[in-house]
Amino acid sequence: MVAVTILALAVFRAATRPLGWLLVAAIGAALLGPLVSLLQRALPRGLAVMAALLLAALAFGGIAYVAVEDLSHELERVQRIAPRAAGEIERSDRFGEFAREIDLRDRVKAFVDELPDRLRGGSDVAAIQSAASRGVSFLITFVLLLFLLASGPKFVDAGLAQIDDENRRARFHAVLVGAYGRFWRYVAATLGRALLAGAFTYLVVTVVDLPAPVILAVWVGAWSIVPGLGVVVGALAVALMAIPESLSLALWLMVLFIGYQVFDALVLEKRIDRQILHLGSFGTFVAAALGLEAYGLGGLIVATLLAIFAAAVVRTITTGSVSARALAVDVGEVVAGGR
């Protein structure tokens, strides 16, 4: 067992990237599953899968295209405003000394000057290599997603079939079905909240004439999935962009977003918590921060979705017909039996 554990850890460290691809594919299949089932009423399973993938690709591709186009148009303005914002921070009474110690303005200027190369992927050779590497990753993830969407229900049924006892198998099935339904409803409601927060951000940024409104809208919308404080955390980027225009404008923007956060927490989140699932702010924020640090904005979303599913499993066990003690006994017996 010690040798097997050491080997498993070594394989996990060596296979981080393909495991990440599999995880993203599994989450994508879970999110697209209801759409495939809906399309399957009028189409064969294979065509329903392809249609769902096409719709998802059009949606995310459209968002990515608009965001990159927006950033490309606003790049010159970002390169001008960002160093000014850093300079304002260096001259401030509260943070000026620390900002000067780390040469904040010079660092920000160097970063924004390198943005064109970063967006392109570096030099021409580096850009080609980066595009090839990303292309392979996207292709493998797409193939895994295709397999999971086409045969995912069969995989689940085959796994449950390994449990001989019918009552025990029924309890596991009840937990999976209940948690998945709760997870998907929560994700759908949270996606609606994120779209509303993004639209609000885009409107505000456009009215006050700040750069890159689409990028800021996507950023705040992504952070809004963290309950309780996500909108405020995401709005810090909006305030930073507003500092060169006016410090008072940045403060008023933060007050405005704090007001939106209060509305989101007291109206939208409260309704979701009451009808679907309660998800605490601390655990979700930690998961989002870890995902952001590991894989950027995509990692933030994936880590938060995993936290949502874990909470859905716990909620299903504690409120459904499956008792936690019975399930724990089932898990212990299944593992001990080597099934």
Side-chain angles (χ1 to χ4, degrees):
M1 290 301 298
V2 172
V4 169
T5 302
I6 294 174
L7 178 62
L9 291 174
V11 170
F12 179 80
R13 284 195 298 268
T16 301
R17 291 187 66 192
L19 288 175
W21 298 334
L22 179 60
L23 179 61
V24 171
I27 292 177
L31 294 176
L32 292 176
L35 178 59
V36 172
S37 299
L38 181 63
L39 294 174
Q40 196 176 355
R41 297 178 181 177
L43 299 172
R45 178 79 182 182
L47 291 178
V49 168
M50 296 306 298
L53 288 174
L54 180 60
L55 291 174
L58 289 175
F60 287 102
I63 293 174
Y65 175 79
V66 172
V68 172
E69 189 74 11
D70 178 65
L71 183 58
S72 299
H73 288 162
E74 299 285 352
L75 185 58
E76 182 180 351
R77 190 177 178 190
V78 171
Q79 289 176 322
R80 184 178 68 254
I81 286 181
R84 285 172 51 195
E88 292 286 342
I89 295 175
E90 285 187 349
R91 289 189 292 272
S92 66
D93 295 333
R94 179 171 298 182
F95 305 108
E97 183 177 355
F98 175 74
R100 289 190 295 270
E101 286 180 359
I102 64 173
D103 297 325
L104 180 63
R105 188 180 185 281
D106 293 339
R107 291 176 182 271
V108 170
K109 188 176 186 305
F111 176 79
V112 296
D113 288 343
E114 295 173 359
L115 267 179
D117 288 338
R118 289 175 180 269
L119 291 174
R120 190 178 58 181
S123 63
D124 293 338
V125 176
I128 294 174
Q129 293 175 342
S130 176
S133 176
R134 292 174 183 171
V136 171
S137 300
F138 289 145
L139 177 61
I140 294 176
T141 304
F142 175 78
V143 172
L144 291 172
L145 178 59
L146 188 62
F147 276 128
L148 291 176
L149 282 174
S151 304
K154 295 181 181 179
F155 294 158
V156 174
D157 293 339
L160 292 173
Q162 305 307 308
I163 304 174
D164 294 334
D165 186 85
E166 185 175 349
N167 293 331
R168 191 177 300 153
R169 183 167 60 247
R171 285 195 289 268
F172 273 98
H173 184 266
V175 170
L176 288 177
V177 171
Y180 177 67
R182 202 180 297 272
F183 162 81
W184 203 91
R185 292 196 304 273
Y186 186 91
V187 168
T190 302
L191 181 60
R193 285 179 49 238
L195 290 174
L196 186 60
F200 175 79
T201 303
Y202 181 84
L203 178 63
V204 170
V205 172
T206 303
V207 168
V208 299
D209 194 27
L210 293 181
V214 175
I215 293 292
L216 292 174
V218 172
W219 176 256
V220 176
W223 268 108
S224 70
I225 65 179
V226 179
L229 44 78
V231 173
V232 174
V233 174
L236 292 175
V238 180
L240 180 62
M241 286 294 184
I243 289 177
E245 303 293 339
S246 170
L247 182 59
S248 61
L249 174 62
L251 294 176
W252 277 112
L253 284 174
M254 285 306 302
V255 171
L256 182 63
F257 277 100
I258 290 173
Y260 181 88
Q261 180 72 85
V262 172
F263 161 76
D264 182 74
L266 296 182
V267 178
L268 303 180
E269 284 184 26
K270 205 165 186 180
R271 186 168 184 177
I272 294 173
D273 290 348
R274 184 174 61 252
Q275 296 183 358
I276 304 174
L277 177 68
H278 173 71
L279 198 65
S281 301
F282 177 75
T284 313
F285 182 79
V286 171
L290 292 175
L292 181 66
E293 177 65 22
Y295 295 105
L297 187 61
L300 180 152
I301 296 173
V302 170
T304 305
L305 290 173
L306 291 176
I308 293 171
F309 184 74
V313 171
V314 174
R315 178 70 177 271
T316 302
I317 294 173
T318 56
T319 62
S321 59
V322 183
S323 69
R325 178 175 296 181
L327 188 66
V329 172
D330 291 341
V331 173
E333 291 183 2
V334 169
V335 173
R339 301 194 184 96

